[in-house]
PDB file of all heavy atoms in Angstrom:
ATOM      1  N   ALA I   1     -17.412 -76.136 -91.169  1.00  0.00           N
ATOM      2  CA  ALA I   1     -16.437 -75.176 -90.620  1.00  0.00           C
ATOM      3  C   ALA I   1     -15.091 -75.818 -90.312  1.00  0.00           C
ATOM      4  O   ALA I   1     -14.500 -75.564 -89.264  1.00  0.00           O
ATOM      5  CB  ALA I   1     -17.017 -74.522 -89.364  1.00  0.00           C
ATOM      6  N   PHE I   2     -14.586 -76.647 -91.208  1.00  0.00           N
ATOM      7  CA  PHE I   2     -13.231 -77.173 -91.006  1.00  0.00           C
ATOM      8  C   PHE I   2     -12.214 -76.034 -90.883  1.00  0.00           C
ATOM      9  O   PHE I   2     -11.213 -76.169 -90.195  1.00  0.00           O
ATOM     10  CB  PHE I   2     -12.825 -78.067 -92.189  1.00  0.00           C
ATOM     11  CG  PHE I   2     -13.435 -79.448 -92.150  1.00  0.00           C
ATOM     12  CD1 PHE I   2     -13.200 -80.341 -93.177  1.00  0.00           C
ATOM     13  CD2 PHE I   2     -14.222 -79.854 -91.096  1.00  0.00           C
ATOM     14  CE1 PHE I   2     -13.742 -81.615 -93.160  1.00  0.00           C
ATOM     15  CE2 PHE I   2     -14.774 -81.123 -91.051  1.00  0.00           C
ATOM     16  CZ  PHE I   2     -14.538 -82.010 -92.090  1.00  0.00           C
ATOM     17  N   SER I   3     -12.476 -74.938 -91.571  1.00  0.00           N
ATOM     18  CA  SER I   3     -11.564 -73.776 -91.560  1.00  0.00           C
ATOM     19  C   SER I   3     -12.216 -72.572 -90.901  1.00  0.00           C
ATOM     20  O   SER I   3     -11.931 -71.424 -91.234  1.00  0.00           O
ATOM     21  CB  SER I   3     -11.146 -73.421 -92.993  1.00  0.00           C
ATOM     22  OG  SER I   3     -10.623 -74.532 -93.660  1.00  0.00           O
ATOM     23  N   GLY I   4     -13.112 -72.821 -89.944  1.00  0.00           N
ATOM     24  CA  GLY I   4     -13.856 -71.728 -89.342  1.00  0.00           C
ATOM     25  C   GLY I   4     -14.986 -71.279 -90.257  1.00  0.00           C
ATOM     26  O   GLY I   4     -15.279 -71.911 -91.275  1.00  0.00           O
ATOM     27  N   LEU I   5     -15.619 -70.190 -89.892  1.00  0.00           N
ATOM     28  CA  LEU I   5     -16.736 -69.659 -90.680  1.00  0.00           C
ATOM     29  C   LEU I   5     -16.403 -68.245 -91.140  1.00  0.00           C
ATOM     30  O   LEU I   5     -16.067 -67.382 -90.327  1.00  0.00           O
ATOM     31  CB  LEU I   5     -18.022 -69.660 -89.846  1.00  0.00           C
ATOM     32  CG  LEU I   5     -18.584 -71.052 -89.530  1.00  0.00           C
ATOM     33  CD1 LEU I   5     -19.632 -70.969 -88.429  1.00  0.00           C
ATOM     34  CD2 LEU I   5     -19.171 -71.694 -90.779  1.00  0.00           C
ATOM     35  N   GLN I   6     -16.503 -68.027 -92.437  1.00  0.00           N
ATOM     36  CA  GLN I   6     -16.149 -66.737 -93.024  1.00  0.00           C
ATOM     37  C   GLN I   6     -17.397 -65.837 -93.074  1.00  0.00           C
ATOM     38  O   GLN I   6     -18.372 -66.080 -92.389  1.00  0.00           O
ATOM     39  CB  GLN I   6     -15.542 -66.963 -94.412  1.00  0.00           C
ATOM     40  CG  GLN I   6     -14.198 -67.703 -94.363  1.00  0.00           C
ATOM     41  CD  GLN I   6     -14.331 -69.187 -94.034  1.00  0.00           C
ATOM     42  OE1 GLN I   6     -15.159 -69.893 -94.614  1.00  0.00           O
ATOM     43  NE2 GLN I   6     -13.521 -69.675 -93.106  1.00  0.00           N
ATOM     44  N   ALA I   7     -17.352 -64.808 -93.896  1.00  0.00           N
ATOM     45  CA  ALA I   7     -18.423 -63.805 -93.949  1.00  0.00           C
ATOM     46  C   ALA I   7     -19.784 -64.473 -94.159  1.00  0.00           C
ATOM     47  O   ALA I   7     -19.891 -65.461 -94.876  1.00  0.00           O
ATOM     48  CB  ALA I   7     -18.146 -62.820 -95.086  1.00  0.00           C
ATOM     49  N   PRO I   8     -20.823 -63.911 -93.539  1.00  0.00           N
ATOM     50  CA  PRO I   8     -20.838 -62.748 -92.650  1.00  0.00           C
ATOM     51  C   PRO I   8     -20.639 -63.104 -91.173  1.00  0.00           C
ATOM     52  O   PRO I   8     -20.779 -62.246 -90.301  1.00  0.00           O
ATOM     53  CB  PRO I   8     -22.247 -62.198 -92.867  1.00  0.00           C
ATOM     54  CG  PRO I   8     -23.081 -63.436 -93.071  1.00  0.00           C
ATOM     55  CD  PRO I   8     -22.191 -64.396 -93.840  1.00  0.00           C
ATOM     56  N   ILE I   9     -20.313 -64.381 -90.883  1.00  0.00           N
ATOM     57  CA  ILE I   9     -20.150 -64.809 -89.497  1.00  0.00           C
ATOM     58  C   ILE I   9     -18.787 -64.376 -88.971  1.00  0.00           C
ATOM     59  O   ILE I   9     -18.658 -63.885 -87.858  1.00  0.00           O
ATOM     60  CB  ILE I   9     -20.321 -66.344 -89.390  1.00  0.00           C
ATOM     61  CG1 ILE I   9     -21.651 -66.753 -90.020  1.00  0.00           C
ATOM     62  CG2 ILE I   9     -20.265 -66.796 -87.945  1.00  0.00           C
ATOM     63  CD1 ILE I   9     -21.715 -68.194 -90.444  1.00  0.00           C
ATOM     64  N   ASN I  10     -17.757 -64.610 -89.801  1.00  0.00           N
ATOM     65  CA  ASN I  10     -16.400 -64.157 -89.488  1.00  0.00           C
ATOM     66  C   ASN I  10     -15.922 -64.659 -88.127  1.00  0.00           C
ATOM     67  O   ASN I  10     -15.524 -63.887 -87.256  1.00  0.00           O
ATOM     68  CB  ASN I  10     -16.327 -62.620 -89.548  1.00  0.00           C
ATOM     69  CG  ASN I  10     -16.702 -62.085 -90.915  1.00  0.00           C
ATOM     70  OD1 ASN I  10     -16.202 -62.554 -91.930  1.00  0.00           O
ATOM     71  ND2 ASN I  10     -17.607 -61.117 -90.954  1.00  0.00           N
ATOM     72  N   ASN I  11     -15.991 -65.977 -87.972  1.00  0.00           N
ATOM     73  CA  ASN I  11     -15.576 -66.593 -86.719  1.00  0.00           C
ATOM     74  C   ASN I  11     -14.582 -67.703 -87.015  1.00  0.00           C
ATOM     75  O   ASN I  11     -14.958 -68.813 -87.389  1.00  0.00           O
ATOM     76  CB  ASN I  11     -16.810 -67.137 -85.981  1.00  0.00           C
ATOM     77  CG  ASN I  11     -16.485 -67.536 -84.549  1.00  0.00           C
ATOM     78  OD1 ASN I  11     -15.824 -68.532 -84.316  1.00  0.00           O
ATOM     79  ND2 ASN I  11     -16.952 -66.762 -83.589  1.00  0.00           N
ATOM     80  N   SER I  12     -13.297 -67.397 -86.850  1.00  0.00           N
ATOM     81  CA  SER I  12     -12.251 -68.363 -87.192  1.00  0.00           C
ATOM     82  C   SER I  12     -12.160 -69.495 -86.174  1.00  0.00           C
ATOM     83  O   SER I  12     -11.519 -70.524 -86.431  1.00  0.00           O
ATOM     84  CB  SER I  12     -10.901 -67.659 -87.292  1.00  0.00           C
ATOM     85  OG  SER I  12     -10.540 -67.091 -86.045  1.00  0.00           O
ATOM     86  N   LYS I  13     -12.803 -69.339 -85.022  1.00  0.00           N
ATOM     87  CA  LYS I  13     -12.731 -70.355 -83.965  1.00  0.00           C
ATOM     88  C   LYS I  13     -13.934 -71.288 -83.961  1.00  0.00           C
ATOM     89  O   LYS I  13     -14.109 -72.085 -83.043  1.00  0.00           O
ATOM     90  CB  LYS I  13     -12.597 -69.664 -82.610  1.00  0.00           C
ATOM     91  CG  LYS I  13     -11.317 -68.840 -82.474  1.00  0.00           C
ATOM     92  CD  LYS I  13     -11.222 -68.170 -81.132  1.00  0.00           C
ATOM     93  CE  LYS I  13      -9.945 -67.346 -81.014  1.00  0.00           C
ATOM     94  NZ  LYS I  13      -9.841 -66.666 -79.702  1.00  0.00           N
ATOM     95  N   ALA I  14     -14.773 -71.189 -84.991  1.00  0.00           N
ATOM     96  CA  ALA I  14     -15.939 -72.074 -85.073  1.00  0.00           C
ATOM     97  C   ALA I  14     -15.498 -73.500 -85.386  1.00  0.00           C
ATOM     98  O   ALA I  14     -14.461 -73.736 -85.994  1.00  0.00           O
ATOM     99  CB  ALA I  14     -16.896 -71.574 -86.151  1.00  0.00           C
ATOM    100  N   ALA I  15     -16.317 -74.447 -84.959  1.00  0.00           N
ATOM    101  CA  ALA I  15     -16.031 -75.864 -85.195  1.00  0.00           C
ATOM    102  C   ALA I  15     -17.033 -76.429 -86.195  1.00  0.00           C
ATOM    103  O   ALA I  15     -18.146 -75.925 -86.350  1.00  0.00           O
ATOM    104  CB  ALA I  15     -16.117 -76.648 -83.893  1.00  0.00           C
ATOM    105  N   ALA I  16     -16.625 -77.501 -86.869  1.00  0.00           N
ATOM    106  CA  ALA I  16     -17.525 -78.237 -87.751  1.00  0.00           C
ATOM    107  C   ALA I  16     -18.213 -79.336 -86.964  1.00  0.00           C
ATOM    108  O   ALA I  16     -17.661 -79.848 -85.989  1.00  0.00           O
ATOM    109  CB  ALA I  16     -16.752 -78.842 -88.918  1.00  0.00           C
ATOM    110  N   GLY I  17     -19.415 -79.696 -87.371  1.00  0.00           N
ATOM    111  CA  GLY I  17     -20.075 -80.805 -86.685  1.00  0.00           C
ATOM    112  C   GLY I  17     -21.545 -80.913 -87.021  1.00  0.00           C
ATOM    113  O   GLY I  17     -22.134 -80.034 -87.651  1.00  0.00           O
ATOM    114  N   PHE I  18     -22.120 -82.029 -86.594  1.00  0.00           N
ATOM    115  CA  PHE I  18     -23.552 -82.279 -86.744  1.00  0.00           C
ATOM    116  C   PHE I  18     -24.253 -81.976 -85.429  1.00  0.00           C
ATOM    117  O   PHE I  18     -23.696 -82.155 -84.345  1.00  0.00           O
ATOM    118  CB  PHE I  18     -23.807 -83.745 -87.102  1.00  0.00           C
ATOM    119  CG  PHE I  18     -23.308 -84.148 -88.462  1.00  0.00           C
ATOM    120  CD1 PHE I  18     -22.043 -84.692 -88.620  1.00  0.00           C
ATOM    121  CD2 PHE I  18     -24.109 -83.992 -89.595  1.00  0.00           C
ATOM    122  CE1 PHE I  18     -21.579 -85.069 -89.864  1.00  0.00           C
ATOM    123  CE2 PHE I  18     -23.648 -84.368 -90.834  1.00  0.00           C
ATOM    124  CZ  PHE I  18     -22.378 -84.904 -90.976  1.00  0.00           C
ATOM    125  N   ILE I  19     -25.505 -81.557 -85.522  1.00  0.00           N
ATOM    126  CA  ILE I  19     -26.337 -81.371 -84.339  1.00  0.00           C
ATOM    127  C   ILE I  19     -27.742 -81.891 -84.666  1.00  0.00           C
ATOM    128  O   ILE I  19     -28.215 -81.768 -85.801  1.00  0.00           O
ATOM    129  CB  ILE I  19     -26.379 -79.887 -83.914  1.00  0.00           C
ATOM    130  CG1 ILE I  19     -26.938 -79.733 -82.510  1.00  0.00           C
ATOM    131  CG2 ILE I  19     -27.127 -79.024 -84.913  1.00  0.00           C
ATOM    132  CD1 ILE I  19     -26.752 -78.340 -81.917  1.00  0.00           C
ATOM    133  N   GLY I  20     -28.370 -82.504 -83.667  1.00  0.00           N
ATOM    134  CA  GLY I  20     -29.732 -83.004 -83.859  1.00  0.00           C
ATOM    135  C   GLY I  20     -29.812 -84.476 -84.185  1.00  0.00           C
ATOM    136  O   GLY I  20     -30.887 -84.971 -84.548  1.00  0.00           O
ATOM    137  N   ILE I  21     -28.708 -85.217 -84.060  1.00  0.00           N
ATOM    138  CA  ILE I  21     -28.731 -86.658 -84.344  1.00  0.00           C
ATOM    139  C   ILE I  21     -29.570 -87.369 -83.282  1.00  0.00           C
ATOM    140  O   ILE I  21     -29.464 -87.083 -82.095  1.00  0.00           O
ATOM    141  CB  ILE I  21     -27.294 -87.224 -84.387  1.00  0.00           C
ATOM    142  CG1 ILE I  21     -26.550 -86.654 -85.607  1.00  0.00           C
ATOM    143  CG2 ILE I  21     -27.288 -88.746 -84.429  1.00  0.00           C
ATOM    144  CD1 ILE I  21     -25.097 -87.048 -85.701  1.00  0.00           C
ATOM    145  N   LYS I  22     -30.388 -88.307 -83.732  1.00  0.00           N
ATOM    146  CA  LYS I  22     -31.321 -88.999 -82.851  1.00  0.00           C
ATOM    147  C   LYS I  22     -31.471 -90.458 -83.283  1.00  0.00           C
ATOM    148  O   LYS I  22     -30.894 -90.846 -84.319  1.00  0.00           O
ATOM    149  CB  LYS I  22     -32.664 -88.269 -82.866  1.00  0.00           C
ATOM    150  CG  LYS I  22     -33.235 -88.051 -84.270  1.00  0.00           C
ATOM    151  CD  LYS I  22     -34.499 -87.214 -84.264  1.00  0.00           C
ATOM    152  CE  LYS I  22     -34.233 -85.747 -84.141  1.00  0.00           C
ATOM    153  NZ  LYS I  22     -33.619 -85.164 -85.355  1.00  0.00           N
ATOM    154  N   PRO I  23     -32.214 -91.285 -82.567  1.00  0.00           N
ATOM    155  CA  PRO I  23     -32.340 -92.705 -82.932  1.00  0.00           C
ATOM    156  C   PRO I  23     -32.921 -92.946 -84.322  1.00  0.00           C
ATOM    157  O   PRO I  23     -32.669 -93.986 -84.931  1.00  0.00           O
ATOM    158  CB  PRO I  23     -33.259 -93.272 -81.841  1.00  0.00           C
ATOM    159  CG  PRO I  23     -33.057 -92.379 -80.672  1.00  0.00           C
ATOM    160  CD  PRO I  23     -32.829 -91.016 -81.246  1.00  0.00           C
ATOM    161  N   THR I  24     -33.677 -91.977 -84.840  1.00  0.00           N
ATOM    162  CA  THR I  24     -34.277 -92.150 -86.169  1.00  0.00           C
ATOM    163  C   THR I  24     -33.335 -91.751 -87.303  1.00  0.00           C
ATOM    164  O   THR I  24     -33.669 -91.900 -88.480  1.00  0.00           O
ATOM    165  CB  THR I  24     -35.559 -91.302 -86.277  1.00  0.00           C
ATOM    166  OG1 THR I  24     -35.240 -89.924 -85.982  1.00  0.00           O
ATOM    167  CG2 THR I  24     -36.628 -91.797 -85.314  1.00  0.00           C
ATOM    168  N   THR I  25     -32.158 -91.241 -86.940  1.00  0.00           N
ATOM    169  CA  THR I  25     -31.214 -90.754 -87.946  1.00  0.00           C
ATOM    170  C   THR I  25     -30.674 -91.890 -88.806  1.00  0.00           C
ATOM    171  O   THR I  25     -30.217 -92.908 -88.288  1.00  0.00           O
ATOM    172  CB  THR I  25     -30.037 -90.037 -87.265  1.00  0.00           C
ATOM    173  OG1 THR I  25     -30.527 -88.908 -86.545  1.00  0.00           O
ATOM    174  CG2 THR I  25     -29.029 -89.565 -88.307  1.00  0.00           C
ATOM    175  N   LYS I  26     -30.712 -91.699 -90.094  1.00  0.00           N
ATOM    176  CA  LYS I  26     -30.134 -92.651 -91.045  1.00  0.00           C
ATOM    177  C   LYS I  26     -29.040 -91.954 -91.854  1.00  0.00           C
ATOM    178  O   LYS I  26     -28.928 -90.714 -91.841  1.00  0.00           O
ATOM    179  CB  LYS I  26     -31.216 -93.197 -91.978  1.00  0.00           C
ATOM    180  CG  LYS I  26     -32.267 -94.051 -91.266  1.00  0.00           C
ATOM    181  CD  LYS I  26     -33.299 -94.578 -92.249  1.00  0.00           C
ATOM    182  CE  LYS I  26     -34.211 -95.607 -91.584  1.00  0.00           C
ATOM    183  NZ  LYS I  26     -34.936 -95.052 -90.421  1.00  0.00           N
ATOM    184  N   LYS I  27     -28.265 -92.752 -92.560  1.00  0.00           N
ATOM    185  CA  LYS I  27     -27.177 -92.202 -93.362  1.00  0.00           C
ATOM    186  C   LYS I  27     -27.688 -91.147 -94.338  1.00  0.00           C
ATOM    187  O   LYS I  27     -27.027 -90.121 -94.569  1.00  0.00           O
ATOM    188  CB  LYS I  27     -26.467 -93.324 -94.120  1.00  0.00           C
ATOM    189  CG  LYS I  27     -25.304 -92.827 -94.968  1.00  0.00           C
ATOM    190  CD  LYS I  27     -24.542 -93.955 -95.633  1.00  0.00           C
ATOM    191  CE  LYS I  27     -25.277 -94.474 -96.854  1.00  0.00           C
ATOM    192  NZ  LYS I  27     -24.419 -95.403 -97.637  1.00  0.00           N
ATOM    193  N   MET I  28     -28.860 -91.386 -94.908  1.00  0.00           N
ATOM    194  CA  MET I  28     -29.406 -90.446 -95.893  1.00  0.00           C
ATOM    195  C   MET I  28     -29.629 -89.062 -95.284  1.00  0.00           C
ATOM    196  O   MET I  28     -29.411 -88.041 -95.934  1.00  0.00           O
ATOM    197  CB  MET I  28     -30.719 -90.970 -96.471  1.00  0.00           C
ATOM    198  CG  MET I  28     -30.569 -92.277 -97.225  1.00  0.00           C
ATOM    199  SD  MET I  28     -30.606 -93.715 -96.130  1.00  0.00           S
ATOM    200  CE  MET I  28     -32.372 -93.847 -95.841  1.00  0.00           C
ATOM    201  N   HIS I  29     -30.077 -89.032 -94.007  1.00  0.00           N
ATOM    202  CA  HIS I  29     -30.302 -87.744 -93.349  1.00  0.00           C
ATOM    203  C   HIS I  29     -28.978 -86.995 -93.148  1.00  0.00           C
ATOM    204  O   HIS I  29     -28.909 -85.780 -93.325  1.00  0.00           O
ATOM    205  CB  HIS I  29     -30.971 -87.961 -91.985  1.00  0.00           C
ATOM    206  CG  HIS I  29     -32.319 -88.590 -92.066  1.00  0.00           C
ATOM    207  ND1 HIS I  29     -32.642 -89.744 -91.399  1.00  0.00           N
ATOM    208  CD2 HIS I  29     -33.437 -88.233 -92.757  1.00  0.00           C
ATOM    209  CE1 HIS I  29     -33.899 -90.071 -91.649  1.00  0.00           C
ATOM    210  NE2 HIS I  29     -34.401 -89.166 -92.484  1.00  0.00           N
ATOM    211  N   ILE I  30     -27.944 -87.752 -92.775  1.00  0.00           N
ATOM    212  CA  ILE I  30     -26.638 -87.131 -92.543  1.00  0.00           C
ATOM    213  C   ILE I  30     -26.075 -86.555 -93.845  1.00  0.00           C
ATOM    214  O   ILE I  30     -25.588 -85.420 -93.879  1.00  0.00           O
ATOM    215  CB  ILE I  30     -25.666 -88.157 -91.928  1.00  0.00           C
ATOM    216  CG1 ILE I  30     -26.119 -88.499 -90.494  1.00  0.00           C
ATOM    217  CG2 ILE I  30     -24.237 -87.629 -91.923  1.00  0.00           C
ATOM    218  CD1 ILE I  30     -25.316 -89.590 -89.837  1.00  0.00           C
ATOM    219  N   VAL I  31     -26.162 -87.350 -94.912  1.00  0.00           N
ATOM    220  CA  VAL I  31     -25.662 -86.879 -96.211  1.00  0.00           C
ATOM    221  C   VAL I  31     -26.454 -85.666 -96.676  1.00  0.00           C
ATOM    222  O   VAL I  31     -25.888 -84.670 -97.147  1.00  0.00           O
ATOM    223  CB  VAL I  31     -25.717 -88.010 -97.256  1.00  0.00           C
ATOM    224  CG1 VAL I  31     -25.399 -87.474 -98.650  1.00  0.00           C
ATOM    225  CG2 VAL I  31     -24.752 -89.133 -96.886  1.00  0.00           C
ATOM    226  N   ARG I  32     -27.768 -85.737 -96.525  1.00  0.00           N
ATOM    227  CA  ARG I  32     -28.607 -84.610 -96.968  1.00  0.00           C
ATOM    228  C   ARG I  32     -28.280 -83.347 -96.173  1.00  0.00           C
ATOM    229  O   ARG I  32     -28.179 -82.251 -96.741  1.00  0.00           O
ATOM    230  CB  ARG I  32     -30.081 -84.974 -96.813  1.00  0.00           C
ATOM    231  CG  ARG I  32     -31.023 -83.900 -97.375  1.00  0.00           C
ATOM    232  CD  ARG I  32     -32.474 -84.302 -97.249  1.00  0.00           C
ATOM    233  NE  ARG I  32     -33.350 -83.259 -97.742  1.00  0.00           N
ATOM    234  CZ  ARG I  32     -34.120 -83.346 -98.811  1.00  0.00           C
ATOM    235  NH1 ARG I  32     -34.114 -84.454 -99.539  1.00  0.00           N
ATOM    236  NH2 ARG I  32     -34.887 -82.343 -99.182  1.00  0.00           N
ATOM    237  N   SER I  33     -28.086 -83.479 -94.871  1.00  0.00           N
ATOM    238  CA  SER I  33     -27.783 -82.297 -94.054  1.00  0.00           C
ATOM    239  C   SER I  33     -26.443 -81.685 -94.451  1.00  0.00           C
ATOM    240  O   SER I  33     -26.283 -80.455 -94.422  1.00  0.00           O
ATOM    241  CB  SER I  33     -27.780 -82.662 -92.572  1.00  0.00           C
ATOM    242  OG  SER I  33     -26.683 -83.493 -92.241  1.00  0.00           O
ATOM    243  N   LEU I  34     -25.490 -82.520 -94.832  1.00  0.00           N
ATOM    244  CA  LEU I  34     -24.195 -82.006 -95.263  1.00  0.00           C
ATOM    245  C   LEU I  34     -24.333 -81.201 -96.552  1.00  0.00           C
ATOM    246  O   LEU I  34     -23.810 -80.083 -96.670  1.00  0.00           O
ATOM    247  CB  LEU I  34     -23.219 -83.162 -95.456  1.00  0.00           C
ATOM    248  CG  LEU I  34     -21.740 -82.812 -95.639  1.00  0.00           C
ATOM    249  CD1 LEU I  34     -20.858 -83.955 -95.137  1.00  0.00           C
ATOM    250  CD2 LEU I  34     -21.392 -82.518 -97.083  1.00  0.00           C
ATOM    251  N   LEU I  35     -25.073 -81.734 -97.531  1.00  0.00           N
ATOM    252  CA  LEU I  35     -25.269 -81.022 -98.796  1.00  0.00           C
ATOM    253  C   LEU I  35     -26.069 -79.740 -98.584  1.00  0.00           C
ATOM    254  O   LEU I  35     -25.774 -78.701 -99.180  1.00  0.00           O
ATOM    255  CB  LEU I  35     -25.966 -81.923 -99.812  1.00  0.00           C
ATOM    256  CG  LEU I  35     -25.244 -83.217-100.208  1.00  0.00           C
ATOM    257  CD1 LEU I  35     -25.990 -83.911-101.347  1.00  0.00           C
ATOM    258  CD2 LEU I  35     -23.796 -82.951-100.610  1.00  0.00           C
ATOM    259  N   GLU I  36     -27.113 -79.827 -97.730  1.00  0.00           N
ATOM    260  CA  GLU I  36     -27.909 -78.632 -97.457  1.00  0.00           C
ATOM    261  C   GLU I  36     -27.067 -77.521 -96.847  1.00  0.00           C
ATOM    262  O   GLU I  36     -27.251 -76.337 -97.161  1.00  0.00           O
ATOM    263  CB  GLU I  36     -29.060 -78.978 -96.510  1.00  0.00           C
ATOM    264  CG  GLU I  36     -30.165 -79.798 -97.147  1.00  0.00           C
ATOM    265  CD  GLU I  36     -31.246 -80.205 -96.157  1.00  0.00           C
ATOM    266  OE1 GLU I  36     -30.979 -80.168 -94.935  1.00  0.00           O
ATOM    267  OE2 GLU I  36     -32.341 -80.576 -96.607  1.00  0.00           O
ATOM    268  N   SER I  37     -26.122 -77.895 -95.985  1.00  0.00           N
ATOM    269  CA  SER I  37     -25.308 -76.878 -95.314  1.00  0.00           C
ATOM    270  C   SER I  37     -24.490 -76.055 -96.305  1.00  0.00           C
ATOM    271  O   SER I  37     -24.242 -74.865 -96.082  1.00  0.00           O
ATOM    272  CB  SER I  37     -24.377 -77.537 -94.292  1.00  0.00           C
ATOM    273  OG  SER I  37     -23.283 -78.198 -94.922  1.00  0.00           O
ATOM    274  N   LEU I  38     -24.063 -76.680 -97.413  1.00  0.00           N
ATOM    275  CA  LEU I  38     -23.285 -75.958 -98.421  1.00  0.00           C
ATOM    276  C   LEU I  38     -24.138 -74.882 -99.093  1.00  0.00           C
ATOM    277  O   LEU I  38     -23.645 -73.791 -99.400  1.00  0.00           O
ATOM    278  CB  LEU I  38     -22.742 -76.943 -99.465  1.00  0.00           C
ATOM    279  CG  LEU I  38     -21.896 -78.089 -98.918  1.00  0.00           C
ATOM    280  CD1 LEU I  38     -21.402 -78.980-100.065  1.00  0.00           C
ATOM    281  CD2 LEU I  38     -20.722 -77.573 -98.105  1.00  0.00           C
ATOM    282  N   VAL I  39     -25.415 -75.180 -99.283  1.00  0.00           N
ATOM    283  CA  VAL I  39     -26.331 -74.189 -99.869  1.00  0.00           C
ATOM    284  C   VAL I  39     -26.693 -73.125 -98.836  1.00  0.00           C
ATOM    285  O   VAL I  39     -26.779 -71.934 -99.156  1.00  0.00           O
ATOM    286  CB  VAL I  39     -27.593 -74.883-100.411  1.00  0.00           C
ATOM    287  CG1 VAL I  39     -28.547 -73.862-101.027  1.00  0.00           C
ATOM    288  CG2 VAL I  39     -27.228 -75.937-101.449  1.00  0.00           C
TER     289      VAL I  39
END
């Protein structure tokens, strides 16, 4: 959400970010979560 979230959320004030990061988090998990979010 660098530019907010468009349809069907339609929230221009939304922020981009990760949630759920923990001690077991590795780079692969972060990259995978980013790609999954696009789908």
Side-chain angles (χ1 to χ4, degrees):
F2 282 177
S3 307
L5 291 166
Q6 294 73 47
I9 306 158
N10 301 311
N11 192 288
S12 62
K13 297 180 180 179
F18 293 93
I19 194 168
I21 292 175
K22 53 185 80 70
T24 56
T25 298
K26 294 181 171 59
K27 181 176 78 170
M28 298 84 78
H29 297 124
I30 291 175
V31 171
R32 185 178 178 113
S33 69
L34 192 152
L35 299 187
E36 288 176 341
S37 75
L38 304 181
V39 180

